[in-house]
Amino acid sequence: MAATRRKVFVMAGAVAVLAIGIWWWVGLRHEATPAVVEGWAMPNGSGDAIHLVDSGGTGYSIAGAMWSGPDGVTHPPSNRPTCIGTDTSVKKRVQLGVVDIDDSEFGGWSHVVWVKCLD
C-alpha cells in the first residue's frame, strides 16, 4: 500500500512540474522582432560605445551590443566594433536592430540588440 501511495505522489509531482513548465513556456516567454534603423555612428574615444542618430532624428547610445562587420561575421559585445573605430571625428554607416521595451514599472525604452557596420 505504501508503494502505491509513493507512486501516486511521484506521478502527481511529475504532473505538477510538467504543468509549471508548460505555464512558463507559454505564459512567460516573450519574443520580439527588432526594427531595423540605419544612420551614421560616432564612436567614443575608446571605441567601446557609439552614438547614432537615425534619419528620423531618434538618437541611440549603444554599448554592449552584438555586432557584425561588412563581412557578415557576428562578434560578441565584449569585442569592440572595430569597423567603427575610435576616431571621434569619423562617422561610419551602420544598421541597428532595435526592440522597444514597454515596462509598466520603468516606462519604456528602446534596446539595441545588434549593430551591423555597412562600410
Side-chain angles (χ1 to χ4, degrees), residues 13-38:
V15 169
V17 167
L18 180 62
I20 290 170
I22 291 170
W23 170 77
W24 176 81
W25 181 258
V26 172
L28 297 179
R29 194 175 64 131
H30 300 284
E31 294 182 10
T33 302
V36 178
V37 298
E38 290 185 17

Side-chain angles (χ1 to χ4, degrees), residues 46-68:
S46 61
D48 57 2
I50 61 173
H51 180 72
L52 177 133
V53 177
D54 67 15
S55 59
T58 302
Y60 301 90
S61 293
I62 303 109
M66 297 286 289
W67 68 277
S68 64

